[in-house]
């Protein structure tokens, strides 16, 4: 049995930094564990090298509103979600967006579908869930499935680990959990 406490002793904190001027909504490690990506209400995407403890890159131009979701596809590509309704493909080598799609509602969370990394499920706060496929070049995203049955804000969805066609999504005020099949 694990005991979880929100009061960790300060001696357990290995490293702390404050790259954002507003609430931090998301963070994710790079696949090699060396970089920490973070996004916040200040519309900033920050990359911090955990070994050198130096900022690698701080982008405040790409997102039109808060950065709420990050998925590291590999060491060179990020997928980001934002309150500005867009899911973006960020190339870290060129330090810019190489593709994006407007999903029509604040993109609150992103989840991977399958192992090939060609599609993700997006929790879009005001319009439900969207399954987005990136195509062969990974720069031409398109919505291939959606679920809009929630009666309030969609804050989470996930793909079933054994069946990538089964999705679960939930909404806030109506306290509803739905399980749905992408094929239907």
């Amino acid at each position: 049995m694990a005991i979880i406490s929100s009061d960790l002793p300060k001696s357990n904190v290995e490293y702390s930094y404050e790259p954002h001027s507003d609430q931090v909504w998301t963070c994710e490690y790079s696949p090699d564990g060396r970089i920490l990506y973070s996004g916040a209400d200040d519309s900033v995407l920050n990359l911090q090298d955990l070994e050198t403890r130096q900022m690698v890159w701080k982008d405040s131009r790409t997102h039109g509103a808060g950065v709420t979701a990050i998925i590291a596809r590999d060491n060179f590509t990020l997928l980001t979600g934002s309150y500005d309704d867009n899911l973006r493909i960020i190339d870290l080598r060129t330090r810019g967006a190489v593709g994006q799609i407007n999903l029509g509602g604040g993109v609150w969370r992103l989840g991977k579908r399958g192992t090939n990394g060609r599609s993700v499920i997006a929790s879009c706060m005001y319009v439900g869930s969207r399954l987005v496929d990136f195509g062969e070049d990974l720069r031409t995203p398109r919505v291939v499935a959606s679920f809009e049955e929630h009666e309030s804000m969609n804050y989470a969805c996930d793909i079933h680990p054994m069946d990538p066609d089964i999705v679960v999504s939930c909404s806030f005020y109506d306290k509803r959990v739905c399980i749905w099949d992408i094929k239907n």
Side-chain angles (χ1 to χ4, degrees):
M1 182 170 120
I3 298 174
I4 300 172
S5 171
S6 61
D7 298 322
L8 290 174
K10 290 188 182 216
S11 61
N12 288 353
V13 176
E14 292 184 24
Y15 173 48
S16 177
Y17 64 103
E18 297 179 20
H20 297 283
S21 63
D22 216 334
Q23 292 91 350
V24 178
W25 291 118
T26 186
C27 58
E28 174 146 332
Y29 289 107
S30 62
D32 63 9
R34 184 175 169 199
I35 305 292
L36 182 67
Y37 312 114
S38 60
D41 228 9
D42 58 8
S43 306
V44 169
L45 174 64
N46 187 78
L47 283 66
Q48 188 81 8
D49 188 312
L50 298 176
E51 292 177 2
T52 66
R53 298 188 176 189
Q54 299 293 314
M55 182 180 62
V56 176
W57 179 46
K58 189 172 192 171
D59 172 45
S60 60
R61 296 181 189 174
T62 302
H63 299 87
V67 180
T68 54
I70 300 171
I71 290 180
R73 289 179 45 86
D74 53 40
N75 285 325
F76 305 110
T77 312
L78 296 179
L79 303 177
T80 63
S82 174
Y83 284 141
D84 68 7
D85 301 347
N86 287 284
L87 181 144
R88 290 179 176 83
I89 305 155
I90 308 289
D91 188 324
L92 297 175
R93 295 166 292 195
T94 62
R95 297 188 174 184
V98 294
Q100 74 180 45
I101 185 170
N102 186 309
L103 297 179
V107 181
W108 181 249
R109 288 290 175 259
L110 297 171
K112 295 177 185 177
R113 179 176 184 238
T115 56
N116 68 8
R118 285 191 42 212
S119 60
V120 296
I121 190 77
S123 297
C124 302
M125 295 169 16
Y126 304 108
V127 296
S129 301
R130 303 282 188 260
L131 181 67
V132 179
D133 186 275
F134 296 98
E136 291 300 323
D137 66 357
L138 303 176
R139 295 177 184 222
T140 53
R142 63 186 178 91
V143 175
V144 295
S146 62
F147 184 79
E148 300 174 354
E149 300 302 316
H150 291 286
E151 296 171 10
S152 74
M153 291 185 283
N154 176 229
Y155 272 124
C157 53
D158 198 11
I159 303 287
H160 191 285
M162 305 304 260
D163 185 344
D165 290 330
I166 303 295
V167 179
V168 62
S169 57
C170 64
S171 44
F172 191 65
Y173 295 113
D174 60 351
K175 304 171 189 84
R176 195 167 170 198
V177 176
C178 296
I179 300 171
W180 46 283
D181 190 327
I182 291 170
K183 290 188 240 177
N184 296 327

